[in-house]
Amino acid sequence: MTTRYGEALVDWAAFSAARSELGTNFVRILGYFHEDGVKSLERIEAAMRAGNAAALVLPSHTLKGESHQFGAEPLALCAEMIEAIARNCVETRDEPSEALPHVVALRPLFEQTMALLEREANPLVERRPAFGRRAIG
């Protein structure tokens, strides 16, 4: 599945690398990413409703960095677009209306991405290669 940001929702090689690096802490840290992501989304949406560019910067920056860690590149790119627009608006003292399409896309992108990440991280999911495809993980 690709997104309007032009990539598959998850870079599985980066996901596997994070899983290897984090070892036994992986599932716990993925859970933190989910919790932090929900909080970031709420802050981003509230800041957008208030037209507060400065309040968009930190939660979008946080979501961007955490998304990169798990290979969620389109999610990271969407958050990065919001952050860049917000930073520019802070400098120009303008409202962040240009960020609205990205903010609107962010929650569904986050939810779709988390569903894939959590499904793949679930130790109870049996992983069989689909016909003609290599197994992931």
Side-chain angles (χ1 to χ4, degrees), residues 14-106:
F15 177 87
S16 294
R19 182 180 234 162
S20 294
E21 290 169 16
L22 296 171
T24 59
N25 296 317
F26 178 78
V27 173
R28 180 174 49 85
I29 294 171
L30 182 62
Y32 293 154
F33 171 51
H34 192 161
E35 291 172 16
D36 292 346
V38 168
K39 290 175 189 173
S40 291
L41 281 172
E42 290 168 353
R43 290 180 182 129
I44 290 166
E45 290 167 348
M48 191 71 222
R49 280 191 296 276
N52 186 340
L56 282 170
V57 174
L58 184 58
S60 57
H61 178 79
T62 301
L63 185 57
K64 173 187 72 176
E66 291 177 348
S67 298
H68 278 303
Q69 180 180 7
F70 289 100
E73 297 308 319
L75 183 59
L77 180 58
C78 185
E80 182 177 13
M81 297 294 291
I82 295 166
E83 179 189 7
I85 292 166
R87 287 183 187 278
N88 184 55
C89 289
V90 168
E91 289 179 17
T92 61
R93 299 180 187 265
D94 199 6
E95 285 196 24
S97 57
E98 184 184 340
L100 184 59
H102 302 290
V103 172
V104 169
L106 192 62

